[in-house]
Amino acid sequence: MAQNSSNNLVAPNARGALDQLKYEVAQELGITLSPDGYQGNKTSYENGSIGGYITKRLVTLAEQSLAGQYK
């Protein structure tokens, strides 16, 4: 059985949109991201905050999409 990595996207064509979302969320939180993609110099709190806000926003988008389907 193949092991899935949490870094593999179900929809790989969404990578650009997710990267954009990451930078938007970081900016809103006042966190500067490295342009080369290396975030190892960020604290766990900073990285966790970015991930948490991205998840919250994606859940909101999914809920809105579902609500639109079932009007």
Side-chain angles (χ1 to χ4, degrees):
M1 175 167 23
Q3 184 177 13
N4 289 335
S5 169
S6 64
N7 292 330
N8 291 334
L9 297 178
V10 174
N13 55 340
R15 184 169 306 280
L18 289 171
D19 283 343
Q20 180 64 34
L21 182 58
K22 176 174 61 175
Y23 281 94
E24 287 176 15
V25 167
Q27 184 177 8
E28 289 173 17
L29 296 173
I31 300 170
T32 304
L33 295 179
S34 176
D36 66 2
Y38 177 72
Q39 306 308 331
N41 57 341
K42 300 288 178 262
T43 66
S44 296
Y45 181 83
E46 289 171 323
N47 283 321
S49 294
I50 293 169
Y53 274 86
I54 288 173
T55 301
K56 185 176 182 178
R57 191 163 303 170
L58 290 173
V59 167
T60 300
L61 290 170
E63 287 175 344
Q64 290 170 347
S65 176
L66 287 171
Q69 290 177 9
Y70 297 102
K71 283 186 175 181

